[in-house]
Amino acid sequence: MTIDHEDAALLAGLEALLGPRGFTRDPDDLAPWLVDWRGRVRGQALALLSPADAGQVAAIVRAAATARMPLVPQGGNTSMVAGATPPAHGRALIVSLRRMRAILGVSPEDGVAIVEAGVTLSALHEAAEAVGMRFPLSLAAKGTATIGGLISTNAGGTQVLRFGPMRALVLGVEAVLPDGARFDGLSALRKDNRGYDLRQLLGGAEGTLGIITAAALRLVPAIGARAVGWAGLETPQAALGLLRRLEAATGAAVESFELVPEVALDLVLRHIPGTRAPLAGRHRWNVLVEATAPTGAPDPAGALGAALAQAIDDGLVADATVSASEAQAEALWKLRESISEAERADGMAAKHDVAVPVSAMPGFIESARQAVEARFPTTRVIAFGHLGDGNVHFNVRAPMGEDGRAWLAREGAGVSAFVHDLTVAAGGSISAEHGIGQTKLADYARLADPARLAAQRAIKAALDPLGLMNPGKLVPLAPEPPAP
Amino acid sequence: MTIDHEDAALLAGLEALLGPRGFTRDPDDLAPWLVDWRGRVRGQALALLSPADAGQVAAIVRAAATARMPLVPQGGNTSMVAGATPPAHGRALIVSLRRMRAILGVSPEDGVAIVEAGVTLSALHEAAEAVGMRFPLSLAAKGTATIGGLISTNAGGTQVLRFGPMRALVLGVEAVLPDGARFDGLSALRKDNRGYDLRQLLGGAEGTLGIITAAALRLVPAIGARAVGWAGLETPQAALGLLRRLEAATGAAVESFELVPEVALDLVLRHIPGTRAPLAGRHRWNVLVEATAPTGAPDPAGALGAALAQAIDDGLVADATVSASEAQAEALWKLRESISEAERADGMAAKHDVAVPVSAMPGFIESARQAVEARFPTTRVIAFGHLGDGNVHFNVRAPMGEDGRAWLAREGAGVSAFVHDLTVAAGGSISAEHGIGQTKLADYARLADPARLAAQRAIKAALDPLGLMNPGKLVPLAPEPPAP
């Protein structure tokens, strides 16, 4: 795109401010950050800005406000909904937080880590482990995803059951608001009732209300021992019954409870080298369960094994195994964590990240599968994931023999709209943990409670009246920045 | 006050809408609701409205908006900061949610209770217990405080250490927004990433952004067994060290950890009938600790007793005891829960509810005590409470021999400003769990981060542009309703 005189002046000023490490317009530098993680949405940007500190972020935001220039904050760019991809028209600047990766402090006494926004989840895990603590949230993209992005999408993962999503682990944030003001909410207070919780408002806002520059995060004591179990059973309802038993038997020790259908396990065993079936027989449904114990407490394997044995005796579970070593535990986890990769190897799918009330999920999985396969014959549904959170990844696979990409281009939006309709009809959410970003915006606008939408627009307009912060994401009909 | 023609028409319309059970202007009916829980702030109102359902609440809000009439939502009226007391000028309507006290559903499978806003905390406790679950938040006013009020103040209590404050336990809310729109966020989803979290924004908003009409709340399995310990030690720093040991030794089993100074225990033993010293000797500081175990797990008394014995051997604790029965557990809790009553019996105090980072609290207690007693000679500080949350009730007692009420009237504001200055200088919050309401508004306006205040005002103005929802609370310089 051509750049007018004023935009050129803005870019020159930012280049002078940020220096060569903080400013680039080189197409090769920009290229990886113009396309989303799943490779489906491509945008353009005038420059990639990489501020070194929060002061530079504030200067960028003020300069952009003066020039009416849209900003797209970016962490690891691992959004599942193209939440960090710039607009197609290209009149925007990417603000990467990746240079801001200082661990500012780790306090085991407070159970707090204070880190800059560009710290990766893996780096946070390591910093916590170094002092005998842990940060109890993990997900596949942990080596790339950054704290700022994880907070901005209120990321989930496999430990939400016990510790909640990112929102529950954020004790404080520092941010630059759309007017360039710096919000200092980094003091890690366990309790703070001073007015509206901006920390919570910025969490999950996908960068539309400001740019998070640092955060104070909750740490918990390191695990002493863990045990991973695998159970084969007949129905998701039986799986939920098992979860409730295990919770009652072990207190808060159950950290993960993941549902794996037979077809997903088959795909993993077929496509992922080095995997093997965890049980002798085949079962329509499986669950992976992890229980942990603090240092010095008895190994949870005993209690987990006894509870699973009792569940077999009672006919709730058909077969089960418990890891006898860390290697076995890892092998069981690999079966769960490889599902997405195995699915990709096998073909294309329309993917959905839906939540319904927990007790409704077993029924929803079955009724929604039947409805989808009736409406779109020859597709196959794979629903797997976080049953204990009422959240599954509900993927509709392209018909066998079809060109998956062509099918997705032709049918994907219709399939997704249908799945989202079913979800809302069940009182659920069309985004459990991935956010709205760009790719769910139309369905969100179509299906959301009008009162919720109106309130969200009012908040967006109040804090970002120029509509410059990550435009085109999350908030349907938000204020629009000037067209290029 | 005189009522003009338009207000008279509004009142007549509301009387017709709500009927005799839902509308009163009788001064005897209004009287208890015009003064705050602590009896310090008195207001006036034109009428007390008691809607029967959310539809009536919405009709009230719409009618009030048309007439530019301020509304003061009220639950149990147990605010510690006069957050539910109407304005002195009296052109306002109290909207009591107390008639809306239906338990709409309790699901042990989902771990969720859905209740109307006027349900008391005690009633919720009973409903949860009836299905083998519990709601893990409790406080002294539980028989009176309502769910809507508890959410609106993000109430705390003695179990925040493990389960978080009210905010962490709210899975969904239904509310009437200031424009009269009904926000339906009651579906109890464990995960939901659809835009700004209005549920969290309404929580802690003290009724300034709308009226909560119902909520979905998290339940956890009932306790199988509990053990309560009491330890005597030398310093708050030793107490915090003990907490970290107990957490490491028992995992998440420590639910409460309350700090009690010698002077507070003395007041309780002197003023509260039927109490007796828990330990043989005297100790400058004491802690009460509660550990729990799920049904079927070993009684936590053994592990707690062993950990306390080890702490004595290591010189961290001087003496300790563990309850051997539920009656003994209750007796230990009574010592903690009677502190406020014993203080009242002994005289007046300027009270503060402050938070600092957890590891800073032991040092803050001592340095702030010294600073206060130097600045205001002959006062005595009592700091007690939720050490593990970094939150103590920091009370400055009137000098011996002085008329407490006169002292408080003369010195109270200055003492509180001084304590709040010290708190902010320590990176803390002047409201940990009580809110801002009316009584902390001036200090909040004086001490708050300007970026925080500006953002809060913008949100308030966006959602309540007429400034009719609980005016004069929480948000300094919010939009003002018309003067009478």
Side-chain angles (χ1 to χ4, degrees), chain A residues 109-110 153-154 184 187 191-194 196 208 244 358-359 386 389 391 427 429 431 433 449 456, chain B residues 109-110 153-154 184 187 190-194 196 208 244 358-359 386 389 391 427 429 431 433 449 456:
Chain A
E109 297 76 27
D110 277 341
T153 50
N154 185 30
D184 178 6
S187 194
K191 286 169 155 179
D192 185 8
N193 275 357
R194 290 174 294 174
Y196 312 144
T208 62
R244 296 306 177 219
V358 179
S359 65
H386 322 302
D389 305 324
N391 169 211
S429 169
S431 175
E433 59 179 10
D449 173 6
Q456 293 190 350
Chain B
E109 296 77 27
D110 277 341
T153 51
N154 185 29
D184 177 6
S187 193
R190 293 276 169 177
K191 286 169 153 178
D192 184 9
N193 275 357
R194 289 174 294 173
Y196 312 144
T208 62
R244 296 306 176 219
V358 179
S359 65
H386 322 302
D389 305 325
N391 168 210
S429 170
S431 175
E433 60 179 9
D449 173 6
Q456 292 189 350

Side-chain angles (χ1 to χ4, degrees), chain B residues 381-420:
Chain B
V381 167
I382 297 189
F384 66 94
H386 322 302
L387 183 68
D389 305 325
N391 168 210
V392 294
H393 300 300
F394 191 95
N395 297 345
V396 182
R397 309 193 61 234
M400 302 266 257
E402 275 220 50
D403 175 323
R405 197 165 290 272
W407 175 82
L408 208 57
R410 195 176 70 239
E411 302 277 0
V415 169
S416 293
F418 188 78
V419 170
H420 290 158

Side-chain angles (χ1 to χ4, degrees), chain A residues 88-469:
Chain A
H89 62 60
R91 187 174 179 270
L93 304 173
I94 296 174
V95 183
S96 165
L97 280 293
R98 289 180 291 272
R99 264 179 86 197
M100 292 173 55
R101 51 173 185 258
I103 307 274
L104 301 173
V106 182
S107 165
E109 297 76 27
D110 277 341
V112 174
I114 300 181
V115 304
E116 284 189 318
V119 166
T120 64
L121 183 52
S122 289
L124 175 62
H125 285 164
E126 288 162 18
E129 281 161 24
V131 296
M133 303 290 280
R134 65 179 171 131
F135 181 68
L137 182 141
S138 193
L139 38 73
K142 64 187 176 186
T144 310
T146 63
I147 297 307
L150 292 160
I151 296 172
S152 294
T153 50
N154 185 30
T158 51
Q159 291 163 299
V160 173
L161 187 64
R162 176 160 173 197
F163 295 104
M166 201 68 190
R167 190 188 293 292
L169 301 170
V170 175
L171 298 172
V173 297
E174 177 194 80
V176 175
L177 301 181
D179 63 357
R182 289 176 64 178
F183 167 62
D184 178 6
L186 208 51
S187 194
L189 304 174
R190 293 277 168 174
K191 286 169 155 179
D192 185 8
N193 275 357
R194 290 174 294 174
Y196 312 144
D197 193 341
L198 298 184
R199 178 187 64 172
Q200 294 291 354
L201 194 59
L202 290 165
E206 301 189 7
T208 62
L209 297 179
I211 300 178
I212 292 170
T213 51
L217 300 157
R218 180 183 173 208
L219 303 181
V220 300
I223 291 172
R226 69 167 179 168
V228 177
W230 190 279
L233 28 69
E234 275 301 300
T235 62
Q237 188 65 52
L240 192 58
L242 176 62
L243 172 60
R244 296 306 177 219
R245 276 184 178 225
L246 295 177
E247 284 181 327
T250 67
V254 177
E255 292 206 3
S256 300
F257 194 87
E258 298 286 308
L259 185 70
V260 179
E262 180 177 27
V263 56
L265 180 59
D266 286 349
L267 286 180
V268 169
L269 298 175
R270 190 182 320 152
H271 291 287
I272 308 298
T275 54
R276 52 184 291 258
L279 302 175
R282 294 174 62 83
H283 304 279
R284 284 197 59 202
W285 295 90
N286 304 266
V287 295
L288 177 151
V289 55
E290 174 164 315
T292 67
T295 306
D299 190 313
L304 182 60
L308 287 170
Q310 184 65 49
I312 292 172
D313 285 351
D314 295 343
L316 191 65
V317 167
D319 192 9
T321 182
V322 175
S323 62
S325 68
E326 189 57 21
Q328 287 182 11
E330 288 292 337
L332 292 174
W333 264 114
K334 186 171 183 181
L335 298 175
R336 162 65 186 89
E337 290 177 336
S338 301
I339 294 176
S340 291
E341 185 186 341
E343 269 197 300
R344 273 196 301 277
D346 203 65
M348 304 293 283
K351 300 190 170 188
H352 312 93
D353 163 46
V354 302
V356 299
V358 179
S359 65
M361 185 51 92
F364 178 82
I365 288 173
E366 189 52 27
S367 66
R369 181 188 67 73
Q370 288 177 9
V372 167
E373 293 177 357
R375 173 72 183 74
F376 300 95
T378 74
T379 62
R380 291 155 302 150
V381 166
I382 297 189
F384 66 94
H386 322 302
L387 182 68
D389 305 324
N391 169 211
V392 294
H393 300 301
F394 192 95
N395 296 346
V396 182
R397 309 193 61 232
M400 302 266 256
E402 275 220 49
D403 176 323
R405 197 165 290 274
W407 174 82
L408 206 58
R410 195 178 69 240
E411 301 276 0
V415 169
S416 293
F418 188 77
V419 170
H420 291 159
D421 285 349
L422 295 171
T423 305
V424 170
S429 169
I430 67 167
S431 175
E433 59 179 10
H434 292 168
I436 299 296
Q438 297 184 58
T439 60
K440 291 189 176 180
L441 198 60
D443 270 6
Y444 179 51
R446 185 170 63 84
L447 293 168
D449 173 6
R452 178 197 287 257
L453 269 190
Q456 293 190 350
R457 277 181 204 135
I459 292 166
K460 169 73 174 175
L463 295 181
D464 182 22
L466 302 174
L468 299 178
M469 305 305 295

Side-chain angles (χ1 to χ4, degrees), chain B residues 207-223:
Chain B
T208 62
L209 298 179
I211 301 178
I212 293 170
T213 51
L217 300 158
R218 180 183 173 209
L219 303 181
V220 299
I223 292 173

